[in-house]
Amino acid sequence: MTDHTARLDHAVLWVRDPLGAADFYEKAVGMEPVRLTEFAAGEVPFPSVRVNDETILDLMPLTFAERMTMLPGAADSSGHPVNHVCLALSRGDFDTLLSRLRERSVPVSELSYGSFGARGEAERSFYFRDPDGNVFEARHYD
């Protein structure tokens, strides 16, 4: 039987330095790099980082903006990140992420309690930015 449940496959983030962004997501956020070696060797146009088994974040070089011709005005999205991307984590992973970001002096917001999301009200959440200004929320429900 095939599962036809809709899932988020990937999100594309504009970044100035894909290798630096991958380093941030690996070391500060704890995500696994994907195609990093191939990107560094010039074999693929961008690297990614793995959010989970089903979802990745593509780290698209900002210099590719003029190539975005799939829809009229698509290139205008460069430099205009979405409001934020939310990562739902376990309580332990949430605490680990918060500690890693603080250890690296990444500014984080105050903790928020009871904010609404895809699975109802989260117990705790906070916000942080990546080196390119993309805003992330981290939360846990348990």
Side-chain angles (χ1 to χ4, degrees), residues 31 51-52 85-91 93-94 97 117-119 122 124 137-142:
M31 295 179 177
V51 175
N52 59 39
V85 174
C86 182
L87 303 171
L89 307 167
S90 69
R91 177 187 302 269
D93 289 345
F94 176 94
L97 172 59
R119 297 180 356 204
R124 296 180 297 165
E137 177 185 1
R139 62 173 46 211
H140 73 89
Y141 289 96
D142 59 339

Side-chain angles (χ1 to χ4, degrees), residues 61-79:
L62 190 55
T63 56
F64 281 23
E66 67 273 2
R67 299 181 193 182
M68 298 294 109
T69 58
M70 70 289 284
L71 291 171
D76 296 335
S77 71
S78 64

Side-chain angles (χ1 to χ4, degrees), residues 20-68:
D23 185 68
F24 173 82
Y25 284 106
E26 179 182 16
K27 294 179 180 159
V29 185
M31 295 179 177
E32 174 190 351
V34 178
R35 301 185 335 157
L36 191 60
T37 303
E38 295 90 337
F39 173 75
E43 297 169 0
V44 297
F46 57 87
S48 304
V49 290
R50 184 159 298 287
V51 175
N52 59 39
D53 289 342
E54 298 179 341
T55 308
I56 59 174
L57 298 176
D58 292 336
L59 306 174
M60 184 68 67
L62 190 55
T63 56
F64 281 23
E66 67 273 2
R67 299 181 193 182
M68 298 294 109

Side-chain angles (χ1 to χ4, degrees), residues 94-105:
F94 176 94
D95 291 332
T96 298
L97 172 59
L98 185 58
S99 294
R100 274 198 310 260
L101 293 172
R102 287 179 173 160
E103 286 170 8
R104 288 168 174 74
S105 301

